Amino acid sequence: MSIFNKLFGQKRTVLSPTFVKDFSKDNNQLSALTELLNKIVDGEKKDSIERDIKFLKYGLDGENNVYFELKNSFLPILCLHDVRVSYEDYVAQLDFVVISSKFICILETKKLSGNISIDQDGNFIRTMKNRFGKEYKEGIYSPITQNKRHVDILKHVLSKELKINNMPILSLVVMANPKTIIKKYKCPAEIEKSLIKYDQIKATLEKYQNVKANQYDLSEKDMFDIANLLVRLNTPIAMDLEAKYQLSNGEYQKKDDEQLREELTSYRLQTSRAENIKAYYIFNNAEMEDMIAKYPRKEEELLEVKGFGKVKVEKYGEEILNIFKGQ
């Protein structure tokens, strides 16, 4: 904070939660999975995709619970949702980031089924019931450890980019399932204070905001500089779903031959007019029939079609493959 602001004060304009990167249930991964699901024939792969969609929706519901609590906290904070920070060789996927004049807080959201207990060694154990009502337990990776790694990365980024070195950066793991019971009476104190239910978010953040020993006091410009830096470093990654589910051509629903002829002919005509060339220069009827028979979905498969070399595939391949992929 500048000396001028310390001496004469600075009028605050952030008086309530302000989302610099807002929450949205229109999740790109969910959209991609749903689109893929509609293209796959029935079978184990389709079941696997349906299961992943269910889990993703479940997680988004949990993040929506956290979003609601932040949005209605009446705290003077900046918030960001779903930021994938990529910096140097480091990557951190942050569910929520809260920026106050006194601290920064990374919220790792978990909407887990069952109840959670933490032992004296900091191990997380989840207790669940099977379909017959019998309880069973399983260990899960510590979300505390995961989020501490995110804190370390953010400290490094702020030091390098904005020369901020002493800003308190807090880690909170938020259990977003209202039915989950957390048993932490035996756990280490560091974990106990870092693990909360989503309805405790406001009280927890207020406590840190009002810590008298915390002498840090960011200006609003500094707060927005941090938020805008995270937006700039946000690098969403597009998952290769075909590779993840090891999909083959035989597992896709295919368009019938007549539909393909109609779409390919239309594409050929529009492209030839745009380039002012003969339509058969793009592909002739024999090449089109070979294409339909081989039903390519990848560049290497299109290269096997009669009349398609590397140059033609580079020029027209993406749009042709999109026809076969239904895009």
Side-chain angles (χ1 to χ4, degrees):
M1 193 173 184
S2 69
I3 294 175
F4 178 86
N5 287 332
K6 287 182 178 179
L7 291 175
F8 300 102
Q10 180 188 45
K11 186 177 179 180
R12 294 277 177 177
T13 60
V14 178
L15 303 176
S16 60
T18 302
F19 270 78
V20 177
K21 186 175 184 297
D22 211 345
F23 174 83
S24 173
K25 277 199 168 184
D26 297 329
N27 182 274
N28 290 335
Q29 185 180 354
L30 180 59
S31 298
L33 282 171
T34 303
E35 183 180 345
L36 181 62
L37 181 68
N38 294 329
K39 297 176 183 177
I40 303 299
V41 297
D42 290 337
E44 290 184 5
K45 300 287 179 69
K46 190 160 190 171
D47 293 342
S48 180
I49 296 169
E50 286 178 334
R51 184 171 59 251
D52 286 349
I53 288 174
K54 180 181 177 181
F55 288 151
L56 183 55
K57 286 181 176 179
Y58 192 69
L60 285 171
D61 284 341
E63 291 181 16
N64 187 44
N65 289 342
V66 174
Y67 172 72
F68 179 86
E69 295 297 326
L70 287 173
K71 195 75 172 176
N72 293 279
S73 67
F74 296 96
L75 295 173
I77 53 177
L78 301 182
C79 304
L80 299 93
H81 170 251
D82 190 23
V83 181
R84 182 181 180 273
V85 174
S86 180
Y87 188 81
E88 295 175 348
D89 294 328
Y90 302 106
V91 175
Q93 180 66 53
L94 312 177
D95 292 339
F96 288 92
V97 181
V98 173
I99 303 168
S100 116
S101 62
K102 300 292 186 181
F103 63 85
I104 298 171
C105 184
I106 300 175
L107 278 68
E108 175 72 17
T109 303
K110 296 294 181 184
K111 190 180 181 189
L112 301 173
S113 299
N115 298 322
I116 305 295
S117 59
I118 306 100
D119 64 21
Q120 62 268 26
D121 297 319
N123 297 310
F124 278 67
I125 301 105
R126 178 163 64 163
T127 303
M128 300 180 67
K129 291 183 179 180
N130 62 23
R131 58 178 179 167
F132 303 109
K134 186 176 180 180
E135 284 192 350
Y136 67 95
K137 296 182 178 181
E138 62 179 14
I140 61 174
Y141 186 81
S142 169
I144 301 292
T145 301
Q146 179 186 21
N147 212 36
K148 279 186 176 179
R149 186 166 59 248
H150 296 162
V151 168
D152 290 340
I153 293 172
L154 184 55
K155 284 181 178 179
H156 177 71
V157 170
L158 293 182
S159 176
K160 289 281 190 176
E161 291 293 317
L162 299 177
K163 310 304 179 189
I164 295 176
N165 295 300
N166 299 314
M167 183 76 179
I169 302 181
L170 313 173
S171 168
L172 286 179
V173 174
V174 183
M175 293 298 173
N177 185 347
K179 295 182 179 179
T180 296
I181 297 172
I182 305 173
K183 299 177 182 179
K184 51 182 181 177
Y185 54 88
K186 290 184 179 180
C187 75
E190 185 65 25
I191 293 179
E192 183 178 7
K193 70 179 183 179
S194 299
L195 183 67
I196 63 173
K197 292 286 290 290
Y198 70 94
D199 56 1
Q200 298 170 321
I201 289 175
K202 179 180 179 180
T204 304
L205 295 180
E206 275 183 327
K207 180 182 70 175
Y208 288 117
Q209 183 76 9
N210 296 326
V211 172
K212 292 182 179 179
N214 184 0
Q215 300 300 313
Y216 221 91
D217 192 17
L218 279 183
S219 69
E220 287 191 354
K221 178 185 179 302
D222 291 333
M223 290 170 62
F224 276 103
D225 283 347
I226 294 170
N228 291 331
L229 173 65
L230 294 179
V231 171
R232 179 166 61 83
L233 295 177
N234 180 43
T235 53
I237 188 169
M239 187 178 293
D240 186 348
L241 296 178
E242 288 194 358
K244 177 183 178 181
Y245 297 104
Q246 299 180 332
L247 297 171
S248 64
N249 271 353
E251 289 166 315
Y252 284 94
Q253 296 179 5
K254 294 184 177 181
K255 298 177 181 178
D256 61 54
D257 292 356
E258 199 55 45
Q259 182 182 359
L260 283 171
R261 287 190 190 94
E262 182 179 332
E263 292 184 21
L264 289 168
T265 301
S266 176
Y267 164 74
R268 180 175 65 178
L269 178 61
Q270 291 176 18
T271 305
S272 66
R273 286 176 175 173
E275 297 184 3
N276 197 26
I277 59 175
K278 299 289 186 181
Y280 62 81
Y281 286 170
I282 301 169
F283 52 81
N284 59 35
N285 289 343
E287 292 164 349
M288 180 169 63
E289 292 303 319
D290 190 38
M291 207 187 311
I292 291 171
K294 290 176 178 172
Y295 212 99
R297 294 182 56 85
K298 301 177 182 177
E299 282 192 4
E300 53 266 33
E301 295 169 347
L302 188 56
L303 284 167
E304 297 176 4
V305 174
K306 178 183 176 182
F308 276 81
K310 188 174 180 181
V311 173
K312 188 179 283 191
V313 168
E314 286 180 353
K315 189 171 185 180
Y316 305 117
E318 183 178 356
E319 290 179 285
I320 290 173
L321 290 174
N322 284 341
I323 292 173
F324 285 91
K325 292 178 183 178
Q327 295 177 352

